[in-house]
Amino acid sequence: MDEIAPGGVLLVPGGMGTRALSGDAEFLRTLRELAGSAAWVLTVCTGSGLLAATGFLDGRRATTNKKAFAWPVSVGPNVRWVKRARWVADGNVYTSSGVSAGMDMTLGFLRDRHGDALARAVAAAIEYVWSDDPENDPFAI
């Protein structure tokens, strides 16, 4: 896909495939364009490293998976990496640590956009125990 709906949300997942894609210039160009067109950009795990490789995160605060922290930092040296954070919100960009932190970030995003009651209702509906403090990061390095 090479376009995003106006007001849309771009979600960039992580995983082992991010490393190979970080060297694909065409993919990175498209990802940067999509991020620039999105109203909101969310990343999970090493998805932040992939987005960092585009330059889109330069100057922004962001976090990533703690066990893979060195790789995103290496491809995004101009990002203001936050080592102790479950997730980080910087303007219209939200980045999270690992996969479960991505769930917490998504609920935090919902809280920021639609209020605490809705975020808690969604967490209850999916039977998820939400870690609702973005700075409570038991996996911090």
Side-chain angles (χ1 to χ4, degrees), residues 3 11 15 25 30 33 53 59 64 73 82 86 111 119 122 125 140:
E3 63 183 64
L11 175 63
T30 300
E33 288 176 6
T64 190
V73 170
V82 180
R86 191 92 173 124
R111 176 177 59 195
V122 169

Side-chain angles (χ1 to χ4, degrees), residues 22-38:
S22 70
D24 183 331
E26 180 65 21
F27 176 83
L28 294 176
R29 182 193 61 74
T30 300
L31 180 60
R32 183 172 177 120
E33 288 176 6
L34 288 170
S37 299

Side-chain angles (χ1 to χ4, degrees), residues 109-129:
F109 172 73
L110 287 175
R111 176 177 59 195
D112 292 350
R113 301 285 302 136
H114 303 286
D116 190 68
L118 176 74
R120 293 195 184 284
V122 169
I126 63 173
E127 298 182 356
Y128 184 76
V129 179

